[in-house]
Amino acid sequence: MNILIYISICVIALSACDKRDEQTMPYNLTEESNVNPFFLENKVNSLTYRGRFLSEDESIIEEDVKIKVERIEQLKSGVIYKFKISPVKGVPEERLFLGMFLVQKDKIYKLQYTGDNAESIRKWEKNPTESNIICQEEEIKDKVKENEKGFHQYLSVQGDLRKYHSYNDKVETGFFETYIWERNIGLKYYKSGYGAENNLVELTAKDIGDCLFNADKMESIEISGKDVCKGKEVDISTEITAGKKAELVIKRDKNRPSFSMIIYAGDKGIDMISNLAKSLDEWCWVKEDFYYQMAAYDFNHDGEKEIIVAGGNKKDTLELYVFRLNPDLDFEKNEPHLLAEINGGYKSYVNEKDEICVIDSNKDISVYSYKGGKNSATKEEIIYAKTKR
């Protein structure tokens, strides 16, 4: 299996446990120029949404989509962005265009973009005209009474959420729109349409999962340090490549306080515990408030799965290692080959590009990219580097 991962790795033996030093410094993609906590450009681009759409033949389409965020213009008053949903077959392109937005330090405006006023938008230096505030710290009350017909719009505040609603009930087919923003996350929910949900577009940000490492179609086991201390263990069998199976096991020795994270191939196995450092105590024993995970996932979809070994407390500590196994699964001849080492953050997930996204305690996201493919490199030509996007 050939894979090229863009990660800086520094491995140093620290102790008798052969622990690895935490020298990998990820490239953090948080935009310095964008300080609005409800709109972080790289996070909106990295989120996956579950979409519901009313198609042209009036059938409901449900599928996972992305929002492409394009930076249009840097103004003195903020940055103009364009939002567009990734293509959905059967849904008109104009319904996939969410609009143009002006993002300031403390406000997000939805611009009344018509295509003809693009040049005037670029020349704005103060707060824009012909626009609506759809996110800010303070609430906005509806200027139209609840039982009065007209164009209603209001913004409510609920903790870290900002919920903007607008609707026009002068006519039965009036347009409605909802945005829900979450601090340090971005757009969590969107819905719009006409009347009784004609031309419906609904987006709900998907949860990335509760494990240390999360990926669609991964095979995984995870256990808490507390459960390990109680003598519990977890295991799973997975096909690493066609006709070759391995078993992943996390357990303690029943006769002594020894902890293991083992990859078995037949009756032979190799313990991967020596890769963890901060997740273990000085005796290489578990910490009760930490979690330990082993997973199998095919990053570059070449038919050969990589093995993930992770430890962390899901608060402020994450150690994650990605290994490639030799297809013959003979650990005496070929030990697992380290492809990636990540130290930092508290939880991780794989996005639609099969990049590893790591979330830290401030909910900032660092992205580790790689290039894979059977023709990209030989097994001996694996190169490590850091990407910048």
Side-chain angles (χ1 to χ4, degrees), residues 75-90:
L75 306 177
K76 291 182 179 179
S77 59
V79 183
I80 294 177
Y81 294 92
K82 179 169 72 174
F83 280 26
K84 189 173 183 180
I85 303 170
S86 55
V88 178
K89 187 176 180 180

Side-chain angles (χ1 to χ4, degrees), residues 89-326:
K89 187 176 180 180
V91 178
E93 187 173 351
E94 60 267 22
R95 289 298 289 133
L96 300 176
F97 175 63
L98 297 186
M100 303 278 280
F101 303 84
L102 175 65
V103 179
Q104 299 179 341
K105 182 178 180 179
D106 57 352
K107 290 179 175 62
I108 301 175
Y109 291 85
K110 170 79 177 285
L111 306 179
Q112 301 304 314
Y113 174 74
T114 64
D116 297 329
N117 63 349
E119 189 60 32
S120 62
I121 287 176
R122 293 175 187 272
K123 295 179 180 178
W124 276 331
E125 293 185 0
K126 297 181 180 180
N127 291 344
T129 57
E130 298 181 354
S131 63
N132 299 315
I133 297 174
I134 60 172
C135 184
Q136 66 176 19
E137 287 290 351
E138 302 82 15
E139 70 171 7
I140 298 175
K141 294 184 178 181
D142 194 347
K143 294 181 179 180
V144 181
K145 294 180 180 180
E146 186 175 355
N147 57 356
E148 182 181 344
K149 301 290 184 180
F151 178 71
H152 298 258
Q153 61 171 333
Y154 56 95
L155 176 69
S156 62
V157 175
Q158 295 181 14
D160 285 337
L161 298 179
R162 300 296 180 272
K163 299 183 178 182
Y164 172 83
H165 303 278
S166 69
Y167 62 95
N168 182 3
D169 59 0
K170 278 189 174 181
V171 293
E172 291 184 0
T173 57
F175 185 73
F176 66 87
E177 194 168 39
T178 294
Y179 293 87
I180 298 179
W181 307 86
E182 183 174 354
R183 190 187 306 275
N184 295 325
I185 295 294
L187 184 63
K188 291 283 288 185
Y189 179 82
Y190 174 83
K191 186 176 182 180
S192 69
Y194 294 86
E197 298 196 342
N198 288 324
N199 288 330
L200 172 69
V201 173
E202 185 177 22
L203 306 174
T204 304
K206 296 183 67 176
D207 187 2
I208 64 170
D210 295 324
C211 296
L212 296 170
F213 171 82
N214 302 273
D216 290 338
K217 299 181 180 179
M218 73 172 180
E219 296 169 281
S220 173
I221 52 175
E222 186 181 88
I223 191 171
S224 67
K226 185 177 294 185
D227 281 342
V228 171
C229 292
K230 293 178 180 178
K232 295 183 180 181
E233 62 181 65
V234 288
D235 62 81
I236 190 173
S237 178
T238 179
E239 189 173 67
I240 299 297
T241 188
K244 295 286 186 177
K245 288 189 175 183
E247 187 176 9
L248 310 180
V249 181
I250 305 177
K251 65 178 182 177
R252 64 168 291 177
D253 192 304
K254 294 182 179 179
N255 299 316
R256 58 192 178 94
S258 175
F259 177 60
S260 299
M261 302 176 76
I262 304 175
I263 306 172
Y264 283 107
D267 58 353
K268 296 182 179 179
I270 183 167
D271 195 345
M272 309 299 291
I273 195 63
S274 62
N275 296 281
L276 299 183
K278 292 183 293 184
S279 300
L280 301 174
D281 67 16
E282 58 183 320
W283 307 106
C284 297
W285 180 241
V286 298
K287 297 179 180 180
E288 288 197 11
D289 58 342
F290 273 61
Y291 296 83
Y292 305 88
Q293 181 185 10
M294 299 182 77
Y297 180 75
D298 187 357
F299 279 95
N300 64 342
H301 308 289
D302 66 347
E304 297 180 12
K305 296 173 186 172
E306 286 76 60
I307 298 297
I308 297 91
V309 176
N313 61 4
K314 300 185 181 180
K315 296 177 182 177
D316 55 17
T317 301
L318 174 66
E319 300 176 280
L320 189 149
Y321 302 86
V322 180
F323 295 91
R324 186 192 63 231
L325 304 182
N326 192 283

